């Protein structure tokens, strides 16, 4: 037997994820999930900073009720926005092949 031909992987760049396309789908899925988790953590971090600055006019050991309400509203708005963005991202992913073709002009 010849074994597997075409072993030379051309066009393998810095992003190893690109080299993984067509590899183990489970591995791809894992990487996707990990990336999502990282994005989410970044979002949470941004949200905390944003809402903290917005709602905490006088930093103290505990939240007063006004700041608490402000936090809840801020976080909820942020989550709504993030959810919207994530949904948009998913739709873009689905139509990505068409998208990347229009980019390569």
């Amino acid at each position: 037997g010849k074994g597997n031909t075409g072993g030379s992987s051309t066009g393998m760049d810095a992003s190893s994820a690109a080299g993984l396309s067509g590899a183990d789908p489970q591995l791809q899925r894992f990487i996707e999930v990990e990336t999502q988790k990282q994005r989410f953590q970044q979002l949470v971090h941004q949200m905390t900073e944003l809402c903290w600055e917005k709602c905490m006019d006088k930093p103290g050991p505990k939240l007063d009720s006004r700041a608490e309400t402000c936090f809840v509203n801020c976080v909820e708005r942020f989550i709504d926005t993030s959810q919207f963005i994530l949904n948009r991202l998913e739709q873009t992913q689905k139509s990505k092949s068409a998208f990347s073709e229009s980019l390569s002009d």
Side-chain angles (χ1 to χ4, degrees):
K2 260 194 285 210
N4 57 349
T5 51
S8 66
S9 66
T10 48
M12 177 108 170
D13 53 54
S15 75
S16 54
L20 283 171
S21 53
D24 185 1
Q26 258 185 314
L27 185 60
Q28 275 184 293
R29 184 82 197 107
F30 173 75
I31 290 169
E32 271 173 41
V33 169
E34 288 303 304
T35 311
Q36 286 281 344
K37 273 195 227 164
Q38 279 179 332
R39 277 205 204 116
F40 188 71
Q41 281 172 339
Q42 276 178 318
L43 274 179
V44 171
H45 186 69
Q46 285 175 339
M47 174 175 70
T48 309
E49 281 192 354
L50 192 101
C51 296
W52 189 264
E53 280 176 33
K54 184 168 148 47
C55 301
M56 295 297 288
D57 43 1
K58 45 179 201 304
K62 72 185 187 58
L63 291 176
D64 59 13
S65 57
R66 191 191 59 79
E68 202 172 333
T69 310
C70 175
F71 251 109
V72 170
N73 290 338
C74 180
V75 168
E76 278 179 2
R77 246 202 314 282
F78 197 95
I79 289 173
D80 285 343
T81 310
S82 304
Q83 199 56 53
F84 175 74
I85 292 169
L86 281 174
N87 288 342
R88 284 307 295 264
L89 276 176
E90 255 173 47
Q91 274 155 7
T92 333
Q93 290 273 306
K94 285 189 184 117
S95 61
K96 195 156 118 202
S97 51
F99 181 67
S100 54
E101 275 165 32
S102 67
L103 270 186
S104 61
D105 286 346

